[in-house]
Amino acid sequence: MRVPLSWLREYVDLPATETGRDVQAKLVSAGLEVETVEHLGADLKGPLVVGQVLTIEELEGFKKPIRFCTVDVGQANGTGEPQEIVCGARNFSVGDKVVVVLPGATLPGGFSISARKTYGKTSHGMICSGDELGMGDDGSHGIIVLPPETEVGKDAIELLELVDEVLDIAVTANRGDCLSIRGVAREAAIAYGLPLSDPALLDVPGPNAYGYPVEVSDPLGCDRFTARTVTGLSPEARSPIWLQRRLQKVGMRPISLAVDVTNYVMMELGQPLHAYDRSLVQGTIGVRRATEGEQIRTLDGVERKLHAEDLVITDERGPIGLAGVMGGANTEIADHSEAEGTTDVVIEAAHFDAVSIARTARRHKLSSEASRRFERGVDPAAAAAAAQRTVDLLVLLAGGTAEAGVTEVVAPSAPHTISVPADHPDKVAGVSYGRETVVRRLQEVGCDVYGQDELLVTVPSWRPDLQEINDLAEEVIRLEGYENLPSTLPRPPAGRGLTRRQRLHRRVGRVLAGAGYVEAPNYPFLAEQVFDQLLLDADDPKRRVVKLTNPLNDEEPALRTSLLPGLFGALRRNDGRGSHDLALFETGLVFLPREEQRIAAVLPVDRRPTDEEIAELDAALPEQPRHVAVVLAGAREQAGWWGKGRQADWADAVEAARVVAREAGAELVVRGGQYGPWHPGRCAELVVGDTVVGHAGELHPRVVKAFGLPARTSAMELDLDALEAAGDDTPQAPRISTFPVATQDVALVVDKFVPHAEVEAALREGAGELLEGIRLFDVYENAEQLGDGRKSLAYALRFRAGDRTLTVDEASAARDAAVALAGERTGAVLRG
């Protein structure tokens, strides 16, 4: 909502020294979001005057029409002589009054005006259009032609109100009252503690039997309909400059007098209006629901097929308007430029159901200034005043006559009342306001307040958003100033820190970040065809998804069962933007449907739900385990003077899994596996106990191609909740021994298909309790030395006793026992 400060001052006597910035600060403190303050004409400098065109000479020989004009600007040029000006516009004639900018002036945008030679003539100034003065187009697409009675030589800056400040307010959906100058003026009056000159306080005649006939068939959709008639309008009458300028400042384009007046009153009072050409309305005006398939051509020239829920305005022919949204073309007010202009109008000021108007506007994809207001709430009591204000302006500006007949159809209703404890705002805000402050603030809003400890509050008609006691508390708090609320941190009881799950989540994020990974959170939505790209089997449990009833994107209607598709998308985007060395990770929930589908119960809002109700709700939700996943591509170690660097591979993905498992305190077993998106020969199965908790390795080339990933991309995904359940993350102090370590290296030759994990497990078990650590440091394959289908695994074994220094014989015996068990279980033999 754009609010000119000059218009606002008509209803609130703001101090003359207050600027737009000052008013902005006050309104923001009161809870209105004033986004910007636009300074109109800030860089405009005169002389800018009214001139009258004396002569026009058409210049020949140029690619476009050019005219050489002489213009009378009175004494504004200091000589009284006609001003010679070259102009390309053609929407004016000899005798017209125009706006002239003289040499020495500066137009908006820092455009300086001086005498200059052009098209073979010297132009001493410019004849101005609305765009050149920062006014916007007035519909003429040319220079400004002023009314004939405008005085020559008059200062055009003052005449056209070119210098002003405009507040641009982002009105929230619950504050429809602030979509009007009246509503914002009320807020400004409260903020400054000044009286409000309410423009809706008019003498309005009561309804009588002589008004235009109206029949409302749907009182729930239209609870108030006021109709007034004005006759004898001058077809040549045009909107005065002040009215056009106010419409332009609020962002509307002047059209014709009757339409401009209805738009002006709507912006002033917040009540949308519509004017019908009386000669085109046939019979009684009605309000009803449309018949399915009925059609109407709206003012924008579009033929619209109506829905049975659409509320329409009708005459005896059928629909003549979409109620609260847009009028019909068959009763449109004729433009003043047409040969036979409109002379008699019927003015409609009605109040429509907000939900009905919102649905109609969205159904037809037709948002208008009227529908925006009805959707957010319009003051029903202002309809009669708005109609009267429109009548008064039409009579004043177009020489019309207001007919005595007044039609007002009103559905019976009672004002909304709320009972609220006087100390309720104190409890909500944690501030002691006191009864007097609460009553005063509610009365400033417009409420009638009665009672002592328990207040009975009658809500004003212009605030339909005040529905319950917390709405009233919010009014008191915002008017007392949100900035005055104390900032108090909650003090939890001792011992109430993060849960074990939360601590593990944070530690995993820190350790992966320390290992060089960058966190890349993704949306939890996916398309079901992604499972084919992941090469999952038809019966894979991950293909069972939870589908959203109202997805944000129709192409991704399901919740994810894996973190990998989102990470693949992030990797692809970053690689496409030139970042080729990537290591990304994400921790987040996946969603697995339960075997038994339940419908969630609707929880009560008037009390805290019971534990049983919460448990029932949880049982209806899908299972949501937390996973962790990583993807890698490009260089893992950069090349430089220190070495050649290294490309990321499957081993890095496996190591990421080990890092996460260590943080969870779980013993992770890595063994060969085969699953979906991973390369069959480069896939590790990650096991804790007897449970497979994830996979890691290099991605299958078909998966890489399907997702557009770099070649040899590797990935890992783990069930973090399963790791947490199996692990013990109790901090362990490091063990420092005073006795030396004994190191023994062994190289074992095994068949190629034997996994390293099985050999290591046998060595660990066979070595017994003296074994402190074991590390695979070399894998060697050579058919000539080892034989076909054989490989050598070299391990470093660390032995240490806690109470003595081991002898060579003890270390050798433990090593031999380890080798013997490995040979028994895996067929391993000592190399060489």
Side-chain angles (χ1 to χ4, degrees):
M1 175 68 191
R2 291 170 56 84
V3 179
L5 191 59
S6 59
W7 199 349
L8 189 66
R9 288 182 183 276
E10 280 198 10
Y11 311 128
V12 184
D13 189 16
L14 298 173
T17 56
E18 288 294 282
T19 66
R21 294 290 185 191
D22 299 328
V23 178
Q24 177 189 30
K26 285 283 189 179
L27 293 179
V28 168
S29 178
L32 291 187
E33 187 179 347
V34 184
E35 294 187 323
T36 60
V37 178
E38 184 179 351
H39 298 269
L40 301 182
D43 51 356
L44 176 65
K45 186 180 74 171
L48 188 71
V49 299
V50 176
Q52 184 172 21
V53 180
L54 301 178
T55 64
I56 298 177
E57 177 188 349
E58 301 289 345
L59 300 182
E60 304 293 340
F62 300 103
K63 292 183 180 179
K64 62 179 181 179
I66 298 297
R67 312 168 95 185
F68 180 66
C69 311
T70 58
V71 185
D72 178 14
V73 294
Q75 296 299 317
N77 57 4
T79 64
E81 296 295 324
Q83 202 78 3
E84 296 180 339
I85 299 174
V86 175
C87 183
R90 307 193 65 77
N91 66 314
F92 65 97
S93 306
V94 172
D96 283 345
K97 302 289 180 64
V98 295
V99 178
V100 178
V101 57
L102 300 178
T106 303
L107 294 181
F111 183 56
S112 299
I113 302 300
S114 61
R116 64 190 182 95
K117 191 168 184 178
T118 179
Y119 297 104
K121 301 285 186 178
T122 300
S123 181
H124 299 273
M126 282 175 53
I127 301 176
C128 297
S129 67
D131 284 336
E132 290 164 340
L133 298 179
M135 298 168 52
D137 182 33
D138 61 357
S140 65
H141 304 289
I143 60 97
I144 302 170
V145 178
L146 300 172
E149 63 274 12
T150 310
E151 179 185 350
V152 171
K154 184 177 178 63
D155 184 357
I157 295 178
E158 179 182 349
L159 175 70
L160 299 177
E161 301 176 13
L162 296 178
V163 178
D164 202 350
E165 292 181 277
V166 179
L167 310 176
D168 193 351
I169 303 175
V171 179
T172 54
N174 65 322
R175 291 303 305 272
D177 60 304
C178 288
L179 286 174
S180 66
I181 305 297
R182 178 196 184 201
V184 177
R186 182 179 290 107
E187 292 296 317
I190 296 173
Y192 280 93
L194 297 171
L196 169 70
S197 298
D198 192 344
L201 294 180
L202 301 174
D203 291 331
V204 180
N208 53 52
Y210 309 109
Y212 198 93
V214 173
E215 181 179 347
V216 177
S217 303
D218 189 340
L220 295 179
C222 176
D223 58 6
R224 185 181 295 262
F225 195 106
T226 299
R228 300 289 298 274
T229 304
V230 180
T231 61
L233 300 178
S234 171
E236 293 81 20
R238 297 179 58 186
S239 301
I241 293 173
W242 64 266
L243 192 149
Q244 293 187 45
R245 287 297 295 131
R246 287 194 169 178
L247 288 178
Q248 288 173 332
K249 289 177 185 179
V250 298
M252 303 189 78
R253 183 172 67 86
I255 299 173
S256 64
L257 178 59
V259 175
D260 292 349
V261 167
T262 57
N263 286 337
Y264 177 85
V265 175
M266 175 180 68
M267 303 307 296
E268 182 180 53
L269 302 182
Q271 168 66 52
L273 301 110
H274 189 71
Y276 302 94
D277 188 327
R278 183 174 179 177
S279 64
L280 300 177
V281 179
Q282 298 180 12
T284 300
I285 292 178
V287 183
R288 62 169 172 83
R289 298 289 172 175
T291 303
E292 188 69 40
E294 220 171 0
Q295 292 190 339
I296 181 176
R297 181 182 292 275
T298 45
L299 288 174
D300 57 357
V302 177
E303 193 77 30
R304 301 183 185 276
K305 189 175 182 180
L306 300 178
H307 188 275
E309 292 185 5
D310 291 335
L311 197 66
V312 293
I313 311 298
T314 64
D315 63 6
E316 63 183 26
R317 296 166 298 176
I320 60 174
L322 265 178
V325 181
M326 185 174 285
N330 53 354
T331 57
E332 182 179 5
I333 297 291
D335 189 85
H336 62 79
S337 62
E338 298 180 19
E340 296 183 3
T342 299
T343 58
D344 302 339
V345 297
V346 177
I347 300 161
E348 164 209 311
H351 184 262
F352 301 110
D353 175 64
V355 174
S356 175
I357 300 306
R359 287 177 176 171
T360 296
R362 283 155 180 75
R363 189 179 297 119
H364 295 282
K365 297 180 175 61
L366 183 61
S367 179
S368 64
E369 292 289 345
S371 68
R372 285 183 63 221
R373 285 160 175 78
F374 280 123
E375 289 172 19
R376 290 161 174 77
V378 168
D379 181 6
Q388 182 62 47
R389 175 74 164 142
T390 305
V391 168
D392 292 344
L393 286 173
L394 288 176
V395 170
L396 175 67
L397 302 176
T401 301
E403 289 195 353
V406 177
T407 303
E408 192 165 345
V409 180
V410 181
S413 63
H416 181 52
T417 59
I418 304 171
S419 180
V420 55
D423 62 348
H424 182 69
D426 301 9
K427 295 178 179 179
V428 172
V431 176
S432 180
Y433 291 123
R435 178 188 177 279
E436 290 73 16
T437 298
V438 171
V439 171
R440 174 172 57 84
R441 288 303 191 184
L442 292 178
Q443 288 176 338
E444 287 176 345
V445 170
C447 299
D448 292 330
V449 185
Y450 302 94
Q452 292 298 319
D453 294 338
E454 190 74 19
L455 304 178
L456 186 64
V457 180
T458 302
V459 175
S461 59
W462 56 82
R463 290 299 302 274
D465 59 304
L466 302 181
Q467 292 293 320
E468 48 103 14
I469 59 175
N470 286 324
D471 295 330
L472 300 180
E474 182 184 4
E475 291 302 295
V476 175
I477 295 168
R478 76 175 181 87
L479 294 179
E480 284 295 305
Y482 289 124
E483 69 277 9
N484 295 324
L485 293 178
S487 298
T488 306
L489 291 175
R491 286 184 284 183
R496 297 287 185 88
L498 298 176
T499 65
R500 182 187 176 202
R501 188 178 193 227
Q502 290 169 330
R503 290 197 300 271
L504 176 60
H505 181 213
R506 292 192 179 189
R507 290 204 312 273
V508 167
R510 284 196 294 266
V511 73
L512 287 175
Y517 290 84
V518 176
E519 187 171 13
N522 296 284
Y523 290 116
F525 313 117
L526 53 74
E528 290 184 83
Q529 57 264 31
V530 79
F531 299 124
D532 294 330
Q533 297 174 322
L534 290 173
L535 306 181
L536 298 186
D537 294 336
D539 59 349
D540 194 296
K542 288 187 177 179
R543 284 184 175 270
R544 294 184 63 242
V545 296
V546 178
K547 290 189 177 181
L548 300 171
T549 303
N550 187 22
L552 295 178
N553 182 353
D554 292 337
E555 295 180 358
E556 295 180 330
L559 292 174
R560 66 189 178 190
T561 57
S562 169
L563 302 182
L564 291 180
L567 280 176
F568 291 167
L571 184 73
R572 182 181 62 251
R573 286 191 297 273
N574 283 277
D575 182 69
R577 288 167 171 77
S579 298
H580 304 302
D581 303 324
L582 295 162
L584 308 178
F585 84 94
E586 180 180 8
T587 56
L589 301 179
V590 298
F591 304 85
L592 310 176
R594 298 181 186 270
E595 293 296 333
E596 180 185 355
Q597 298 292 332
R598 300 185 183 181
I599 298 177
V602 178
L603 297 181
V605 296
D606 58 342
R607 59 176 173 81
R608 183 190 181 279
T610 64
D611 293 340
E612 292 76 15
E613 289 172 330
I614 295 176
E616 184 180 353
L617 179 64
D618 287 340
L621 298 175
E623 295 181 19
Q624 302 174 54
R626 186 178 296 277
H627 281 203
V628 58
V630 305
V631 291
L632 305 99
R636 187 67 176 134
E637 295 176 3
Q638 295 292 333
W641 59 264
W642 52 85
K644 295 182 179 179
R646 181 177 65 82
Q647 293 295 108
D649 61 14
W650 62 268
D652 294 298
V654 173
E655 180 59 24
R658 289 196 174 102
V659 166
V660 172
R662 283 196 293 268
E663 285 299 317
E667 185 177 348
L668 189 71
V669 176
V670 180
R671 65 192 187 195
Q674 183 172 338
Y675 182 71
W678 282 277
H679 194 295
R682 298 167 189 160
C683 175
E685 192 173 67
L686 309 175
V687 182
V688 173
D690 296 327
T691 305
V692 177
V693 296
H695 294 83
E698 184 180 315
L699 294 177
H700 196 291
R702 285 163 57 190
V703 174
V704 169
K705 182 178 180 181
F707 285 94
L709 305 178
R712 309 299 293 270
T713 297
S714 299
M716 177 277 291
E717 184 167 16
L718 273 175
D719 186 336
L720 199 53
D721 285 354
L723 281 179
E724 179 190 357
D728 179 8
D729 60 354
T730 303
Q732 300 291 331
R735 297 172 58 188
I736 302 175
S737 176
T738 58
F739 300 101
V741 66
T743 302
Q744 297 274 357
D745 293 346
V746 295
L748 303 178
V749 178
V750 296
D751 290 335
K752 266 189 176 182
F753 64 83
V754 176
H756 139 69
E758 291 184 13
V759 178
E760 180 182 317
L763 290 172
R764 191 181 296 277
E765 183 178 343
E769 61 182 14
L770 293 179
L771 182 68
E772 182 181 78
I774 182 171
R775 179 175 63 88
L776 174 70
F777 65 85
D778 185 52
V779 178
Y780 177 70
E781 295 181 11
N782 188 312
E784 293 182 3
Q785 296 184 17
L786 305 178
D788 291 336
R790 305 281 280 174
K791 64 182 178 182
S792 171
L793 304 176
Y795 294 90
L797 308 178
R798 292 168 56 89
F799 298 99
R800 194 192 316 251
D803 57 351
R804 68 188 187 281
T805 300
L806 292 178
T807 65
V808 173
D809 292 340
E810 286 178 311
S812 297
R815 178 202 64 191
D816 293 342
V819 172
L821 188 58
E824 179 183 335
R825 291 188 177 177
T826 67
V829 296
L830 279 172
R831 177 182 168 191

